Amino acid sequence: MSLHVPSPAAPPLTVDAPVLELRSLTRTHGTGIAEVHALRGISLSVYAGELVAVMGPSGSGKSTLLTLAGGLDTASGGQVIIEGQDISTLGRKGLAALRRRSVGYVFQDYNLIPALTAAENIALPRELDGVSVRKARKEARAALEEMNLLEIADRFPDEMSGGQQQRVAIARALVGDRRLVLADEPTGALDSETGEAVLALLRNRCDQGAAGVMVTHEPRYAAWADRVVFLRDGSIVDQTLTAGADSLLAAGGAE
Amino acid sequence: MSIRHGLLALLERGPRYGSQLRTEFESRTGSTWPLNVGQVYTTLSRLERDGLVAQDGEDDQGHALYSISDAGRTELRAWFETPVDRTNPPRDELAIKLAMAVGAPGVDIRAVIQAQRHHTVKAMQDYTRLKAQSLGQAPANRDEVAWLLVVEQLIFQAEAEARWLDHCESRLIRLAEAAATEPEPGPPPGAAARTAGRSRTRR
Ligand SMILES: Nc1ncnc2c1ncn2[C@@H]1O[C@H](COP(=O)(O)OP(=O)(O)O)[C@@H](O)[C@H]1O
Ligand SMILES: [Mg+2]
């Protein structure tokens, strides 16, 4: 078989600081015989323009890695550095501001606010960050339009299907100019066509300069990433390289 | 792979010459399975022998043209209508490798699985880039649509393999856990001397 595979986008310039850097990150739950090592020393850098997929069996620490990277949980050891700032030095207010401004987070279970419509859910973090209500609403509608969801702008979460809620959650994470997008199984509730559309959006956002980390157990979606990191028992056991350096087809390695 | 039927399908659209058939076959399938002109002519002469195509004059540049016969059309129709046989699967090297790795001394089967998973996911990343590139230009003609289908077939196949590897790994872990909680079976009578020093011996 011989395919001409296009080269991936130019590798990120290593002179740039990573948007996200995890240094020897550990997370332990409980103590004594109930002690669970959810993460056992993870180091990972994600650069602007890069989409990294995290794969691994259930319980391997994928969600823990993502919640720590998004500043939603506190590490037992090691550091999380977002845009050059060690988030443990920020304090609660500083961290909340950084999260709203720089981090888009897609939760495994959507996490939409039940009392707000789709458009309001998307606009809220922007309003909290000081964007005018008018502008935030306008952005929200544009984000919904991009996801082909304008017709549900005024519906409440309990009036949407699981797939619609998931896409609203994704629109909420992508709205504004966030440099870091973290997504935990963003395709979970989606059929394959919608799942693919979501991946295309994430990919596009990273191509425009965001750094992305996506947890998925579906190889089909992981394949959209520049780099796939394999987690097992709280450790990174392997990863595919960025920039097609070991692209088997380019190397003529396929039979 | 059926080059025969592929060529018949292309000839149904009108008379063609050898290297033209080769070019069209490759643009349909994105050069995934390259043909050489020799294969095309060998196949054409067999098709001619079987009465499925006939030589049909020359074009302006003097290329020998072939056209499909009525028998060829019947054959082509039957091909489209008959499912591809999957009851007699070709040997699969990966399945054989994992089967051999089960319980093989000195082989870390999880490492074998991970090495394959890495390779398979990497291939999927390559195919997905091809697909994204193809979708980015919105497939404009039937060759581009056909090629997209072929790339997606490669992705689905690799995905099935990656999922099967996940499945193998979790099954092996479950079996190992179950084995660890079972009492160790004693060696068969008289076997102690022969198996001494080995942790596991299968026969
Ligand atoms: N709050 C918690 N208390 C105790 N153990 C936890 C807690 N959260 C996660 N864990 C454990 O940490 C490990 C990793 O969990 P998680 O990151 O959710 O895995 P994944 O997302 O890969 O399925 C699992 O063994 C899980 O049971
Ligand atoms: Mg999880």
Side-chain angles (χ1 to χ4, degrees):
Chain A
M1 199 160 70
S2 81
L3 286 174
H4 178 71
V5 174
S7 311
L13 290 176
T14 40
V15 290
D16 284 345
V19 176
L20 171 70
E21 191 180 355
L22 309 180
R23 287 193 193 151
S24 312
L25 208 57
T26 61
R27 178 70 170 100
T28 308
H29 296 284
T31 52
I33 55 159
E35 197 171 73
V36 177
H37 296 276
L39 290 184
R40 302 168 189 265
I42 298 282
S43 295
L44 179 70
S45 294
V46 186
Y47 292 86
E50 206 185 10
L51 177 60
V52 173
V54 179
M55 301 192 79
S58 162
S60 58
K62 305 182 296 294
S63 294
T64 305
L65 186 156
L66 217 62
T67 48
L68 289 173
L72 299 167
D73 181 22
T74 309
S76 308
Q79 290 154 320
V80 175
I81 295 158
I82 298 175
E83 297 192 293
Q85 285 182 292
D86 180 339
I87 66 170
S88 68
T89 65
L90 289 177
R92 273 180 56 181
K93 273 194 174 161
L95 180 57
L98 176 82
R99 279 212 310 261
R100 278 199 313 270
R101 198 168 6 89
S102 301
V103 184
Y105 202 102
V106 183
F107 294 87
Q108 203 165 356
D109 48 7
Y110 335 135
N111 247 17
L112 296 178
I113 298 172
L116 298 182
T117 65
E120 289 165 348
N121 260 286
I122 296 168
L124 180 69
R126 302 286 291 153
E127 289 172 32
L128 288 174
D129 211 31
V131 172
S132 76
V133 174
R134 249 185 108 124
K135 180 156 187 264
R137 294 283 158 97
K138 218 172 130 187
E139 283 175 354
R141 293 199 162 259
L144 284 167
E145 192 161 18
E146 200 182 356
M147 305 282 285
N148 246 329
L149 285 177
L150 206 48
E151 75 278 5
I152 63 156
D154 300 317
R155 282 200 214 164
F156 293 94
D158 65 1
E159 299 165 341
M160 304 173 202
S161 72
Q164 288 170 333
Q165 290 185 54
Q166 183 65 315
R167 281 182 291 159
V168 170
I170 289 155
R172 179 181 58 181
L174 294 181
V175 77
D177 188 26
R178 281 135 175 182
R179 297 252 293 144
L180 179 61
V181 178
L182 305 172
D184 198 348
E185 303 272 2
T187 53
L190 305 179
D191 60 70
S192 70
E193 205 169 313
T194 319
E196 192 150 277
V198 162
L199 254 298
L201 276 171
L202 271 179
R203 177 73 264 176
N204 191 260
R205 179 55 65 100
C206 293
D207 289 343
Q208 288 166 10
V213 183
M214 166 185 63
V215 165
T216 181
H217 64 268
E218 301 233 34
R220 193 175 355 143
Y221 298 128
W224 285 75
D226 299 296
R227 190 149 52 109
V228 182
V229 169
F230 298 95
L231 223 58
R232 192 200 288 165
D233 298 332
S235 301
I236 294 177
V237 290
D238 190 14
Q239 53 184 305
T240 66
L241 296 179
T242 312
D246 64 346
S247 168
L248 75 155
L249 295 167
E255 50 276 72
Chain B
M1 197 210 357
S2 195
I3 299 169
R4 243 170 105 80
H5 293 106
L7 296 189
L8 284 177
L10 294 171
L11 285 172
E12 204 188 22
R13 289 153 68 184
R16 274 148 172 74
Y17 56 89
S19 62
Q20 188 183 9
L21 286 167
R22 174 189 169 205
T23 309
E24 290 185 6
F25 185 91
E26 292 193 354
S27 57
R28 267 298 164 108
T29 55
S31 311
T32 309
W33 302 283
L35 289 185
N36 61 50
V37 142
Q39 279 172 298
V40 173
Y41 280 108
T42 313
T43 309
L44 281 172
S45 61
R46 289 197 191 129
L47 287 168
E48 191 178 12
R49 177 198 67 199
D50 298 341
L52 304 177
V53 306
Q55 288 210 38
D56 191 13
E58 296 183 346
D59 71 359
D60 301 345
Q61 277 98 51
H63 296 116
L65 293 171
Y66 289 82
S67 61
I68 190 167
S69 67
D70 286 342
R73 283 198 183 83
T74 308
E75 171 75 19
L76 180 62
R77 207 54 52 232
W79 183 57
F80 280 127
E81 286 164 6
T82 312
V84 174
D85 184 29
R86 299 290 191 210
T87 55
N88 203 355
R91 270 195 296 276
D92 184 90
E93 185 180 348
L94 178 57
I96 294 170
K97 188 186 284 190
L98 284 196
M100 294 302 165
V102 174
V107 176
D108 177 356
I109 193 164
R110 289 181 83 181
V112 174
I113 289 172
Q114 180 55 35
Q116 186 65 44
R117 182 188 282 128
H118 180 120
H119 186 86
T120 302
V121 168
K122 187 75 206 160
M124 288 183 74
Q125 287 178 276
D126 287 339
Y127 300 149
T128 302
R129 267 202 305 284
L130 279 171
K131 172 180 163 160
Q133 189 188 49
S134 164
L135 284 175
Q137 296 151 358
N141 57 45
R142 58 181 160 193
D143 278 354
E144 283 172 20
V145 173
W147 158 226
L148 184 60
L149 296 183
V150 170
V151 167
E152 287 180 325
Q153 194 260 2
L154 297 173
I155 295 173
F156 276 105
Q157 256 183 4
E159 179 182 32
E161 186 169 292
R163 295 175 81 116
W164 176 66
L165 289 167
D166 289 349
H167 172 80
C168 290
E169 184 166 357
S170 59
R171 182 178 289 288
L172 287 167
I173 291 168
R174 276 200 308 275
L175 290 174
E177 281 166 356
T181 58
E182 270 169 25
E184 193 75 31
R194 273 181 283 135
T195 58
R198 294 271 192 86
S199 54
R200 285 184 76 187
T201 304
R202 282 274 193 86
R203 58 200 74 230

